[in-house]
């Protein structure tokens, strides 16, 4: 990735165009004309988007290259991310057991103390809310803990590279300790806000699929779901940058968010924040990683057909699907670290460009040239 970040970003843009064109052609081939019309609209919008952001590619490539360099110098942060993800998965297993227990207890109580087979009794909304909230909250806490750790490591590499230039550097240990102690309250608070919205969305979506709802109720629930989705997106975007300051300086959640938004607003970089070219590129490579591991699954099934012999004709699909999911999860973990690193680079360069020039002159020169070329007015130098 570090050898050709510009080409990779261009490739991700072209891939989205080809994908939308393929969907459109497939829709017309199967005589789904309405879907084909929407496909044409989506393709035209994608073309407009590509034309508008094409000039921003040098800026995005410079950020991606710097972010990759920072995490490559501190490879142990990937191990930390995997470990936290494993802990999250273990909690999910426990949560699933608790969910089954609640359903069984509810069914038993409804049957007057007897566990009736096939009883279609669901727990109360209160139990469901608390269970879903616990699941979403834990997921958000683990995800944001990784984000804060990466932000701390990259900011240390930015300001004091001697402390963050090895696989098991001091910066990784210190950032992990801060994220799980003094900054953990801020992580939990911001994660709780998103988890509440996610829980409400899940309950609204469940109510939408209730066949007893009339048309008016279904329409209102659809509007509520749309509103919650917008709120969730805004809050997740806010957290994305707020937790960088939490990792960099140990600020509280609200103070961190205020400092980030004030910083970008003062420098006139509001439009730059919306630039998501790097995230799109990383998402594409997560899918590619999943596909490659899926192919390994197919090869393994061909070499050892007895492993899935009981599934007969579906063996190949199961092997590919299972391996694809494993590859997608692993790729997503690895690339989420890179995404957090790139976001930290963006904030750090806005906050302290002189320190970057002093500690990493080559990378600083590349970023200054790229940002001056793309954003001469907003850059300020």
């Amino acid at each position: 990735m570090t050898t050709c970040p510009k080409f990779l970003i261009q490739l991700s843009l072209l891939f989205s165009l080809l994908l939308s064109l393929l969907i459109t052609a497939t829709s017309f081939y199967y005589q789904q004309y309405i879907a084909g019309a929407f496909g044409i609209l989506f393709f035209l919008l994608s073309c407009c988007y590509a034309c508008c952001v094409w000039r921003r590619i040098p800026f995005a490539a410079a950020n991606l290259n710097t972010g990759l360099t920072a995490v490559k110098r501190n490879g142990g942060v990937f191990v930390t991310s995997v470990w936290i993800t494993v802990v999250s998965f273990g909690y999910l297993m426990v949560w699933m057991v608790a969910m089954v227990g609640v359903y069984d207890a509810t069914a038993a109580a409804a049957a007057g103390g007897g566990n009736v087979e096939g009883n279609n009794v669901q727990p109360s909304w209160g139990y469901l809310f608390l269970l879903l909230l616990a699941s979403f909250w834990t997921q958000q806490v683990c995800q944001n803990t990784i984000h804060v750790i990466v932000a701390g490591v990259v900011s240390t590499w930015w300001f004091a590279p001697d402390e963050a230039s090895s696989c098991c550097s001091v910066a990784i240990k210190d950032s992990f300790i801060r994220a799980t102690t003094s900054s953990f309250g801020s992580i939990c608070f911001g994660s709780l806000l998103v988890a509440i919205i996610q829980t409400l969305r899940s309950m609204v979506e469940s109510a939408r699929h209730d066949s007893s709802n009339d048309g008016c109720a279904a329409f209102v629930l659809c509007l509520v779901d749309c509103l919650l989705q917008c709120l969730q997106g805004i809050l997740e975007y806010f957290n994305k940058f707020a937790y960088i300051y939490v990792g960099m300086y140990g600020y509280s959640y609200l103070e961190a968010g205020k400092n980030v938004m004030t910083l970008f607003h003062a420098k006139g970089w509001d439009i730059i924040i919306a630039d998501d070219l790097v995230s799109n590129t990383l998402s594409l490579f997560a899918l590619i990683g999943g596909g490659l591991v899926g192919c390994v699954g197919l090869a393994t099934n061909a070499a050892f057909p007895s492993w899935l012999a009981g599934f007969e004709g579906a063996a190949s699909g199961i092997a590919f699907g299972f391996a694809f999911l494993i590859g997608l999860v692993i790729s997503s973990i690895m690339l989420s670290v890179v995404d957090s690193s790139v976001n930290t680079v963006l904030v750090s360069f806005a906050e302290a460009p002189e320190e970057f020039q002093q500690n990493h002159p080559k990378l600083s020169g590349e970023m200054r040239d790229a940002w001056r070329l793309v954003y001469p007015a907003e850059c300020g130098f």
Side-chain angles (χ1 to χ4, degrees):
M1 274 192 178
T2 54
T3 57
C4 52
K6 182 177 178 180
F7 170 75
L8 296 178
I9 295 174
Q10 291 173 338
L11 181 64
S12 69
L13 273 177
L14 295 176
F15 176 80
S16 64
L17 292 176
L18 291 175
L19 182 61
S20 61
L21 189 60
L22 178 63
I23 293 174
T24 302
T26 304
S27 299
F28 280 113
Y29 178 80
Y30 287 102
Q31 299 181 353
Q32 300 294 325
Y33 300 113
I34 296 179
F38 278 104
I40 292 176
L41 178 61
F42 182 74
F43 174 73
L44 294 176
L45 291 175
S46 298
C47 289
C48 293
Y49 172 78
C51 293
C52 291
V53 303
W54 196 265
R55 71 180 187 89
R56 300 185 183 185
I57 289 178
F59 151 76
N63 277 275
L64 179 57
N65 185 38
T66 303
L68 284 168
T69 302
V71 294
K72 281 174 61 179
R73 299 284 178 85
N74 299 272
V77 73
F78 290 104
V79 179
T80 304
S81 302
V82 172
W83 182 81
I84 293 175
T85 304
V86 170
V87 172
S88 175
F89 181 78
Y91 174 83
L92 180 61
M93 297 297 101
V94 175
W95 179 87
M96 292 175 65
V97 173
M99 174 67 86
V100 172
V102 169
Y103 268 90
D104 287 344
T106 303
N115 197 347
V116 180
E117 188 74 20
N119 189 24
N120 190 23
V121 178
Q122 292 189 353
S124 67
W125 288 105
Y127 286 132
L128 286 176
F129 179 84
L130 292 176
L131 283 168
L132 290 173
L133 179 63
S135 175
F136 288 129
W137 193 9
T138 303
Q139 174 193 356
Q140 285 291 320
V141 167
C142 292
Q143 176 182 329
N144 291 326
T145 299
I146 295 173
H147 188 44
V148 170
I149 292 173
V150 174
V153 172
V154 174
S155 62
T156 303
W157 172 83
W158 190 279
F159 293 100
D162 293 338
E163 300 179 11
S165 295
S166 63
C167 180
C168 300
S169 62
V170 177
I172 298 175
K173 181 191 71 174
D174 292 344
S175 297
F176 176 81
I177 293 174
R178 285 197 306 270
T180 53
T181 54
S182 58
S183 296
F184 196 64
S186 298
I187 294 173
C188 291
F189 178 64
S191 301
L192 177 61
L193 298 179
V194 176
I196 290 174
I197 297 177
Q198 288 179 315
T199 303
L200 292 175
R201 279 196 64 196
S202 294
M203 299 184 73
V204 169
E205 289 175 357
S206 177
R208 284 179 59 191
H209 292 91
D210 188 350
S211 58
S212 63
N213 290 327
D214 57 20
C216 183
F219 177 72
V220 172
L221 288 173
C222 183
L223 291 179
V224 173
D225 185 30
C226 182
L227 176 62
L228 290 174
Q229 184 177 5
C230 293
L231 290 176
Q232 180 182 339
I234 293 172
L235 192 54
E236 286 178 341
Y237 181 77
F238 178 83
N239 285 353
K240 184 177 183 180
F241 289 95
Y243 282 128
I244 292 175
Y245 260 78
V246 172
M248 288 176 66
Y249 300 117
Y251 288 163
S252 67
Y253 174 75
L254 295 178
E255 185 180 6
K258 181 180 178 181
N259 275 273
V260 170
M261 294 306 157
T262 301
L263 172 68
F264 279 96
H265 182 72
K267 288 185 173 291
W269 288 6
D270 296 339
I271 192 172
I272 297 178
I273 304 177
D275 202 287
D276 62 349
L277 289 172
V278 173
S279 297
N280 291 339
T281 303
L282 296 178
S283 298
L284 172 61
F285 274 85
L287 292 175
I288 292 175
L292 291 176
V293 178
C295 293
V296 173
L298 286 177
T300 303
N301 180 63
F304 305 97
S306 60
W307 289 4
L308 297 175
F311 294 97
E312 299 179 355
S316 297
I318 293 174
F320 178 83
F322 184 71
F324 175 81
L325 289 177
I326 293 176
L328 183 63
V329 170
I330 296 175
S331 299
S332 298
I333 294 172
M334 299 295 104
L335 295 175
S336 69
V337 173
V338 178
D339 192 37
S340 297
S341 177
V342 172
N343 292 330
T344 306
V345 166
L346 176 63
V347 174
S348 299
F349 192 62
E351 178 76 11
E354 297 304 326
E355 286 81 353
F356 188 44
Q357 175 66 27
Q358 179 180 352
N359 296 322
H360 308 279
K362 182 179 179 181
L363 289 172
S364 176
E366 293 176 359
M367 287 189 63
R368 284 172 178 261
D369 292 341
W371 288 28
R372 188 182 298 113
L373 175 66
V374 181
Y375 302 107
E378 294 88 345
C379 223
F381 50 75

